[in-house]
Amino acid sequence: MSERPSVMFVCVHNAGRSQMAAAWLSHLAGDAVEVRSAGSAPADQVNPAAVEAMAEVGIDIAAEKPKVLTTEAVKESDVVITMGCGDACPIFPGKRYEDWELEDPAGKSVDGVRPVRDEIKARVEELIASLLPARA
């Protein structure tokens, strides 16, 4: 792993879970970790309920745009975390892969997104502890 680890969050639409995870990691780890997110079939926009749920905790993801998953982005990442994208994510030797089973916030109200947001935060905190043990 590089001196500054790189993490890629992947879900199908890159509109909810992966956007929230990337925002949490950027917020909690700052510049210590390079953060990417993408989707195997990106949506047109980030889920408005996810935007609202993150705004409630002081994190603004309103300007984020869903991005398409590329082989290059996966190659450049040390850790790849999938969230229900199935077999769409390319696998490369030497990478750390995790699959986070999280409820899909698509179509949910902000009340339905909050528990997903909070579970993602807890998982991101664990991820930071494993990537940056000196900070834990």
Side-chain angles (χ1 to χ4, degrees):
M1 192 161 323
S2 55
E3 190 175 304
R4 179 175 173 233
S6 170
V7 177
M8 169 76 130
F9 294 102
V10 183
C11 67
V12 175
H13 300 297
N14 189 222
R17 295 167 290 187
S18 56
Q19 290 283 352
M20 289 190 289
W24 273 122
L25 184 54
S26 294
H27 180 76
L28 296 170
D31 291 338
V33 177
E34 184 178 358
V35 182
R36 299 181 176 92
S37 73
S40 51
D44 294 331
Q45 66 179 19
V46 174
N47 178 337
V51 171
E52 186 177 340
M54 293 302 286
E56 290 177 350
V57 294
I59 301 173
D60 183 4
I61 62 169
E64 295 299 323
K65 302 280 184 235
K67 295 167 278 311
V68 68
L69 176 65
T70 66
T71 301
E72 284 307 308
V74 174
K75 274 185 187 176
E76 293 170 7
S77 301
D78 297 309
V79 180
V80 179
I81 297 175
T82 58
M83 303 170 178
C85 73
D87 298 332
C89 192
I91 305 292
F92 293 100
K95 304 268 177 230
R96 173 176 157 189
Y97 288 89
E98 292 184 21
D99 185 47
W100 291 0
E101 290 191 26
L102 297 161
E103 193 171 342
D104 189 348
K108 296 191 181 312
S109 68
V110 71
D111 289 338
V113 173
R114 283 185 195 111
V116 179
R117 173 201 68 198
D118 297 343
E119 183 176 350
I120 290 170
K121 180 185 181 192
R123 289 180 185 229
V124 166
E125 289 171 336
E126 290 173 12
L127 176 66
I128 292 168
S130 74
L131 293 175
L132 308 168
R135 290 180 63 154

